[in-house]
Amino acid sequence: MTLQDRSGLWMLGGFLLLGWVLARMTVQRRRNRVRQQHEDREIQRRLNATSASALPLSDAPPETQRWQVAMFDLQRELKGELDSRIAVTQSLIRQLDERIATIEQLQKKQAR
């Protein structure tokens, strides 16, 4: 085989490789376009939906839903702490009221 024949084969191989790359890029672009159109239709369908879901943020991304669950847990925990502190405060106020009443009774007895 001569050098010219080899260069022709290399050029043919280069053209075939170039054609394969271009065809693959075209197919990928079409796939991406179809996927994007599907996502756009889905988003449009969600935006056009008039029925409200029973759960807030039920159609939100998973990260947002995880954040919402974490906020609900934090809310529950903080509410529990507040409720226990309120109960302790009410108990202390009740005890103070009893002691004040006792002191007033002792003062009335001493005043007689």
Side-chain angles (χ1 to χ4, degrees):
M1 210 177 247
T2 65
L3 187 58
Q4 257 184 338
D5 291 339
R6 284 187 192 172
S7 63
L9 286 175
W10 281 109
M11 189 164 70
L12 178 64
F15 282 134
L16 288 174
L17 184 62
L18 180 64
W20 181 77
V21 168
L22 291 175
R24 185 172 165 88
M25 286 174 50
T26 303
V27 168
Q28 285 179 346
R29 274 195 214 119
R30 281 189 190 148
R31 266 193 216 140
N32 289 341
R33 192 177 319 131
V34 167
R35 188 179 320 124
Q36 186 64 40
Q37 287 173 350
H38 178 69
E39 289 174 2
D40 290 345
R41 272 188 257 124
E42 180 66 23
I43 290 170
Q44 193 63 37
R45 184 188 62 78
R46 285 184 182 179
L47 290 175
N48 291 339
T50 56
S51 63
S53 63
L55 300 174
L57 298 176
S58 63
D59 58 343
E63 299 84 24
T64 306
Q65 290 179 352
R66 276 190 234 112
W67 175 83
Q68 184 185 22
V69 168
M71 290 299 107
F72 282 142
D73 289 344
L74 179 63
Q75 174 192 4
R76 190 178 312 117
E77 183 180 320
L78 292 176
K79 186 178 183 318
E81 286 182 24
L82 283 175
D83 288 346
S84 64
R85 288 181 184 189
I86 288 171
V88 167
T89 305
Q90 287 175 341
S91 172
L92 289 173
I93 290 173
R94 201 175 317 111
Q95 288 176 3
L96 284 174
D97 287 342
E98 290 172 0
R99 288 188 182 169
I100 289 172
T102 305
I103 290 173
E104 287 176 350
Q105 288 175 355
L106 290 174
Q107 285 177 346
K108 285 181 186 178
K109 285 183 182 179
Q110 285 181 353
R112 291 187 190 163

